Amino acid sequence: MTVTTPELPTQYAPADVETQSYERWVSEGYFTADVGSERESYSIVLPPPNVTGVLHIGHALDHSIQDALTRRARMRGFETLWLPGMDHAGIATQNVVERELAKQGLSRHDLGREAFVDRVWQWKEESGGRILSQMTKLGDGVDWSRERFTMDEGLSRAVQTIFKRLFDDGLIYRAERIINWCPRCLTALSDIEVDHSDDEGELISIRYGDGDASIVVATTRAETMLGDTAVAVHPDDQRYSHLVGTTVELPFTGRMIPIVADEHVDPAFGTGAVKVTPAHDPNDFEIGRRHGLPSLTVMDERGVITAHGPFQGLDRFEARPAVVAALRAEGRIVAEKRPYIHAVGHCSRCKTVVEPRLSLQWFVNVQPLAKAAGDAVRDGRTRIHPPELAKRYFDWVDDMHDWCISRQLWWGHRIPVWYGPEGEVVCVGPDEEAPPGYVQDADVLDTWFSSGLWPFSTLGWPDRTPELERFYPTTVLVTGYDILFFWVARMMMFGLYAMDGTPPFQTVALHGIVRDQFGKKMSKSSGNVVDPLDWISRYGADATRFTLLRGASPGSDVAISEDWVAGARNFCNKIWNATRFALMNGATTAADLPAPADLTVADRWVLSRLQAVVAAVNAGYDDYEFAKISDQLYHFAWDEVCDWYVELAKIQISAGGEVADRTRLVLGHVFDALLRLLHPIVPFVTEELWRALTGGPSVMTAPWPEPAHAYADQPAENEIAALQELVTEVRRFRSDQGLKPGQRVAARLRFGGTALAAHEVAIRSLLRLDDPTASFTATARLAVGEEAVVELDTAGAIDVAAERRRLEKDLTAARKESAQAAGKLGNEQFMSKAPDDVVAKVRARAAQADADIARLEAQLAALPAS
RNA sequence: GGGCGCUUAGCUCAGCGGUAGAGCACUCGCCUUACAAGCGAGGGGUCACUGGUUCGAACCCAGUAGCGCCCACCA
């Protein structure tokens, strides 16, 4: 047999192989989807990272999952498309660039709209480049030829197209409403861009009016009283029924405002009377609408009081205490302020307290779209995984408010609506022009509006491109549960709407967020943020990926630490060295695997285990259980192949002849399969090793292993298990007795007719046991399982007391076990109700325990006196 | 205010009705000819608490306590 032994170093050095492999993968076109192929399609669109920053460890998890799915699908013979791209991230990006300008003492207004947008584009080129480089470092097998950006030409056309269609269908409208307004970003926000937190406020009671014509209202927002246009009480509230329909005087203003009755008021809260400020509170706006009250805006877009009088020009947070102080001076504070915890909305971008503000904005009427989005999951056209999270999705889509889509920003898709000189409103489609003299709406669209089109706009929609025909709907969407509402629901709504009722994904697979080793969320302030590039450079991309995937269960958060990634690095090194061993020993895939009948028990055992692992890994992929997949492969590779099969193979190879040749085939076959199974998770090390082992061009083009049921072999598994038990027991003795691992000991083995007899050579080799000499004197007698007995000649150097303690401890355990089992077997209820296989197991356990007792008692008796 | 989830070894988590598991950490012994990023052998848990169902409960049910997440226009 000719053996090529490539020069592999004794340690795996990721940096040496990663870049090289990746470049070859790209240049060979392995990542590029072929729309014309006959294969079945498998497609994933990458959740586009925001151009604002760099990829964090959470992206690394998200990408690792998608890469593993794509690589496996490709090996299984699918035509795979993993489509990459980035999101322009309107408000986030604009903020970043504005901050940069601020360093030079400039604002966007100094540049003007056009120059500012140019500046953002410039910045995007730099930032986007960093992200792409990170993706190559991670090993992301994306189709670079189809990379997209939410602001590129095709996608802008998609945005205009769907806007126009929704507009024409009456699903987009413009209205004056109370919306969430960020007084710092100076733009409207949608509901989900507002984070609520429980903040401490003060509830104070204020007397409006005087004498009989007075009423006490409770509020946390005294400063808005300048805009009050009514006081509301509950219609059934006896305390105030005589006042309904009358008016009171609003302090400071001299205005007389009506007292109205409205169901919304909770008589049990505060004083049971509410001040109504329609222009600055969403509830009050509704009350105002029901009662025909005027809306009086008393604050500008920056939160500064505009109402004439002593408070004009004060910021909203200065105005509050000022108003309260003035009220106190007039003796209008009835009950002193008391602390009150209530939910306050904050801008999710800059944390500024959101101001409800009455303004003219564009909205999507989500009712029909959200209904369809819910139904697609309800009827199983799209499956959400894990299913528990579907409930959250339903809660959201089934109770969704209209979506405010206009943003008072400059970076984004400009709203394609133009206004004529007479106030005409025209929505302009992608291939149309606005009439002369018309002016375009100054606002841009919410970022999520364009991200919502991602699964089809990236494939060429609105054109019926071959890509769209072939890869829509996508096979699976992989993303964090944290953007289920932000993004997934939007894509579902738009996908169903644009693609005639076909949802954008067959499955939505949700993962969690990455946390540190104590389960803490990563944040700059906690100092526990992990930079994926840092780990990749120090431990390798494979180790980083393996660490993340090993913790990834559907919908669950992933905890990681540097110790663990070091462990993953060690695993990669283990695979490296084990394969190196196989290569050095002439492992080959050049011929077919021999039939089970022609193989040794050890060969049959490892092949039986291999096919079981293949099946388990496949089952894991079906459920997106990456933690289970990784664990299966880790333990099979390390605990079974490396710790046992490789050791047994050494013995078989040293025997020479046909056994050795067959062992080389089994080794070759096992490592070939193992590397293929591991490839989607740890692509780099497996590629390097697989090419060395098989001489093939790339493991990426090798077929995915399927279980070889013909090699399932329970008897072989049982036999090797018995061998492992015996070897472990003798090793335990040697370790307890302080016998050095290398020290050879004369021994006599008796197997009492068990199958283990066939393994005597292996057992002696693994345990460093010599044949008995003429002067052999047994100083320790170990009995193991079945009827095997190992007698050792340690030249009397054994610690009898230690061995006695050991045996007595085991004996106690065996007696307890026996008693327990006997108790069950003597229990009538158990015997009549428990299923047969359970009873059989207990019987076996009892027999085992009794045999152990007899054996241990004999061993104790055989111990020499100390 | 609604909804969901969690509580198992020092840490992070599997297990989800029939003898308590993994990784990392820890202890002891080893440079045993693939690997010291390694090898071998160990220690460590009344599975949050209280009841219930069951022949049998970490696992099912109810309640209690603590923790976490999501949603939310009660001033």
Side-chain angles (χ1 to χ4, degrees), chain A residues 350-588:
Chain A
C350 69
K351 306 306 167 202
T352 302
V353 173
V354 163
E355 192 61 42
R357 179 176 165 81
L358 185 62
S359 74
L360 189 59
Q361 304 285 348
W362 287 95
F363 295 87
V364 174
N365 170 8
V366 296
Q367 260 27 284
L369 302 171
K371 170 80 168 62
D375 288 345
V377 174
R378 260 185 287 273
D379 65 24
R381 273 175 294 155
T382 296
R383 282 175 322 182
I384 290 184
H385 199 87
E388 303 92 81
L389 286 173
K391 190 179 177 325
R392 271 195 201 178
Y393 173 83
F394 291 135
D395 286 349
W396 170 257
V397 294
D398 291 345
D399 186 29
M400 195 176 172
H401 293 72
D402 278 4
W403 173 16
C404 176
I405 51 170
S406 42
R407 296 289 179 276
Q408 288 64 52
L409 305 169
W410 288 352
W411 176 242
H413 295 101
R414 198 145 165 190
I415 290 177
V417 172
W418 298 65
Y419 306 105
E422 308 294 327
E424 302 95 325
V425 176
V426 175
C427 180
V428 177
D431 303 315
E432 301 166 3
E433 296 233 351
Y438 276 53
V439 182
Q440 185 169 12
D441 194 300
D443 292 348
V444 301
L445 288 164
D446 180 5
T447 297
W448 299 103
F449 191 91
S450 53
S451 337
L453 315 178
W454 191 249
F456 50 97
S457 63
T458 53
L459 296 172
W461 188 92
D463 298 331
R464 307 296 308 188
T465 58
E467 280 84 358
L468 189 66
E469 296 291 345
R470 168 125 213 198
F471 295 114
Y472 188 98
T474 62
T475 310
V476 56
L477 175 81
V478 177
T479 193
Y481 60 70
D482 51 330
I483 53 172
L484 184 60
F485 309 133
F486 283 85
W487 192 43
V488 179
R490 310 251 192 254
M491 287 190 289
M492 288 293 286
M493 294 195 301
F494 282 162
L496 288 159
Y497 177 75
M499 294 297 292
D500 306 317
T502 305
F505 337 99
Q506 294 166 25
T507 299
V508 175
L510 298 163
H511 60 249
I513 63 172
V514 180
R515 296 170 178 271
D516 73 9
Q517 62 185 307
F518 305 112
K520 257 178 75 177
K521 211 163 176 170
M522 289 190 177
S523 70
K524 278 177 198 150
S525 56
S526 305
N528 56 358
V529 175
V530 169
D531 175 1
L533 285 185
D534 176 40
W535 279 9
I536 289 171
S537 67
R538 289 189 297 130
Y539 299 100
D542 289 336
T544 304
R545 295 167 58 124
F546 192 79
T547 303
L548 291 164
L549 290 176
R550 199 171 189 193
S553 291
S556 308
D557 291 346
V558 179
I560 53 168
S561 88
E562 184 154 344
D563 282 347
W564 306 347
V565 76
R569 184 266 321 262
N570 296 353
F571 176 61
C572 293
N573 193 233
K574 188 75 182 175
I575 298 298
W576 178 267
N577 277 294
T579 310
R580 207 163 63 88
F581 162 85
L583 283 164
M584 286 163 57
N585 284 280
T588 178

Side-chain angles (χ1 to χ4, degrees), chain A residues 237-354:
Chain A
D237 195 333
Q238 299 301 319
R239 292 172 293 177
Y240 302 118
S241 50
H242 64 287
L243 291 172
V244 173
T246 66
T247 58
V248 286
E249 187 187 339
L250 185 66
F252 308 132
T253 65
R255 289 205 323 269
M256 296 304 290
I257 57 174
I259 294 174
V260 300
D262 194 281
E263 296 276 352
H264 171 261
V265 179
D266 176 1
F269 185 90
T271 59
V274 183
K275 61 192 268 315
V276 181
T277 324
H280 294 283
D281 182 279
N283 291 311
D284 293 3
F285 182 74
E286 291 304 317
I287 294 176
R289 189 139 79 174
R290 284 195 285 273
H291 298 274
L293 301 169
S295 294
L296 207 59
T297 297
V298 295
M299 217 183 276
D300 69 9
E301 72 275 8
R302 292 177 191 274
V304 174
I305 302 294
T306 54
H308 292 296
F311 310 109
Q312 187 171 14
L314 290 180
D315 176 79
R316 53 188 171 149
F317 295 116
E318 299 165 352
R320 188 175 301 167
V323 168
V324 172
L327 287 167
R328 183 173 296 116
E330 288 195 14
R332 291 190 175 276
I333 303 294
V334 177
E336 260 317 313
K337 55 190 180 185
R338 68 168 218 259
Y340 174 64
I341 305 288
H342 64 312
V344 176
H346 299 259
C347 171
S348 63
R349 273 297 144 201
C350 69
K351 306 306 167 202
T352 302
V353 173
V354 163

